[in-house]
Amino acid sequence: MATDISTTLTELPESRVRVDAEVGPAEVERRVNQAAKALARNIRVPGFRAGKAPPPVVIKRVGREAVLDEAVRESLGAWYRAAIDDAHVVPVGEPEVDLSELPKQGEPLKFSIEIGVRPKAELGEYKGLEVEKREPGVQDSVIDAELESLRERAAKLETVDRQAQRGDYVVMDFAGSVDGEAFPGGEGRDQMIELGSGRLVPGFEEQLEGAVAGEERDVTITFPEDYPATELAGREALFKVTVREVKAKQLPALDDDLAIEAGFDTLDELRADIRSRLGENEEQRVEAEFREAALDAAVAAAKVEVPDALIEARAREMYDSMLHSLSHQGIDRATYLRLSGTTEEETIEKAKPDADVALRREAVLAAIVEAESIEPTEEDMLQAVSEVSGQERVKPEKLLERLRKNGRLDSLKDDLSQRKAWDIVVDSAKPVPAAASDS
């Protein structure tokens, strides 16, 4: 990030630092001119067309202090990131930013950042560690479960002349009312529901068990207190239900015909394919478990102090990251908390053990990077961004240059360095048979 900024780092207790930053006068003036150009679009200056007044004229008309204030508000985020990069720290949690008085023309702008940082580790042994590794294997019961799932997907619904049971499907008409008055969404025709699926209001499906085709039933339920339609929440409703059909799921036989439907000649071939596919997944799972166990063995051999405040800060970061991911699925914070049945504080508290583990692992990996003098090559970085560059239809070289200009290259280097450090631990680890378990 080509920003004229210099920093001084002071280490504080509890894995915190203070970064004193100074933005050079030239950078401040550049940002002031940018802010003046932006302001010119919204003010009228005699003698100039709308939005065409030069920065000096805008500054004189509005006042330098007002333009500088706007420039700082627009630029502080970028200056913060530049300061963190220049100080070469890995922040954890929310920063406390203290801005000094706004500078006069030709003077630098000063601000300080106080923030938690990744803890430091005192390494123990991290090469040649003995680490348990279980033998991959696929139990027959797992294959049987896959075959049963295949039968379920190939099942057909057939009308039956008997009482409806849990797991059956009921085709029905219904009309609901509250205090004798119909309500929106309370009526339906030819609706099919699986008894026991839990799709309807609690208590509804259970009252249809034992019904037969042609039967009329009264179903009385109470809407939950957190029912989305607030006008119905907590109220009792009566549904007049007419059962049209009772359908049962008919599973195909577990034989060669089922295998042929799935694209195989025999049931034995189908079993063998399932065993092979699950076996590959199991081998990958075993390798992933071994990698984590090797790293955790290195962490156990090291000394790492992780303050409670840092753990909470990382837990909050994990919570915020999860909410950001859910937002792409249309789930906001309030919806998540309602669906999960927990509070924000409870969710963060549950995340603390994982946050503690993550911080300890990162600290040890960072120490190994330093001990082994690991430095990603240009080729490593190009390979790392090649997949993303293909998705964005940009050459890896251009994407890498973009990361460099945006000040995000250090983050990529840190990630790649830690991967290499992790590989050193895993590649040198000595697998030993895992103790037998009941799982």
Side-chain angles (χ1 to χ4, degrees), residues 208-328:
L208 293 179
E209 293 180 17
V212 297
E215 182 179 346
E216 296 182 353
R217 281 197 174 190
D218 287 350
V219 173
T220 302
I221 58 92
T222 300
F223 287 103
E225 293 292 342
D226 60 351
Y227 194 67
T230 54
E231 68 276 9
L232 298 175
R235 303 187 67 184
E236 184 178 278
L238 171 66
F239 287 86
K240 296 285 187 178
V241 177
T242 301
V243 177
R244 298 298 181 188
E245 288 182 275
V246 176
K247 294 177 176 287
K249 187 186 292 183
Q250 301 297 327
L251 300 180
L254 187 59
D255 55 20
D256 289 345
D257 288 339
L258 177 65
I260 291 171
E261 284 290 325
F264 298 87
D265 292 333
T266 66
L267 182 60
D268 287 340
E269 283 187 14
L270 175 58
R271 281 184 178 275
D273 179 77
I274 293 174
R275 185 179 294 277
S276 174
R277 178 164 42 83
L278 293 180
E280 291 178 4
N281 294 338
E282 174 69 356
E283 287 177 1
Q284 294 174 2
R285 189 157 45 245
V286 168
E287 287 301 321
E289 290 173 359
F290 181 70
R291 282 186 64 84
E292 293 206 349
L295 177 55
D296 288 338
V299 171
K303 292 181 180 178
V304 188
E305 292 186 7
V306 186
D308 291 342
L310 207 63
I311 294 173
E312 179 163 351
R314 173 53 63 86
R316 287 187 177 277
E317 286 182 344
M318 294 166 66
Y319 174 67
D320 290 339
S321 177
M322 177 192 66
L323 290 181
H324 180 72
S325 297
L326 290 174
S327 68
H328 294 304

Side-chain angles (χ1 to χ4, degrees), residues 156-162 169 171 213 244-250:
K156 297 178 180 179
L157 294 180
E158 295 184 2
T159 301
V160 293
D161 186 17
R162 59 167 173 76
Y169 289 77
V171 180
R244 298 298 181 188
E245 288 182 275
V246 176
K247 294 177 176 287
K249 187 186 292 183
Q250 301 297 327

Side-chain angles (χ1 to χ4, degrees), residues 20-23 28 98-103 108-112:
D20 292 303
E22 185 174 289
V23 183
V28 174
D98 183 23
L99 185 66
S100 63
E101 291 184 1
L102 295 180
L109 178 139
K110 298 178 181 180
F111 65 96
S112 66

Side-chain angles (χ1 to χ4, degrees), residues 118-119 361-371 414 418 421:
R118 184 166 59 198
R361 287 178 172 180
E362 291 170 22
V364 168
L365 288 174
I368 294 174
V369 168
E370 184 176 354
D414 185 62
Q418 293 215 2

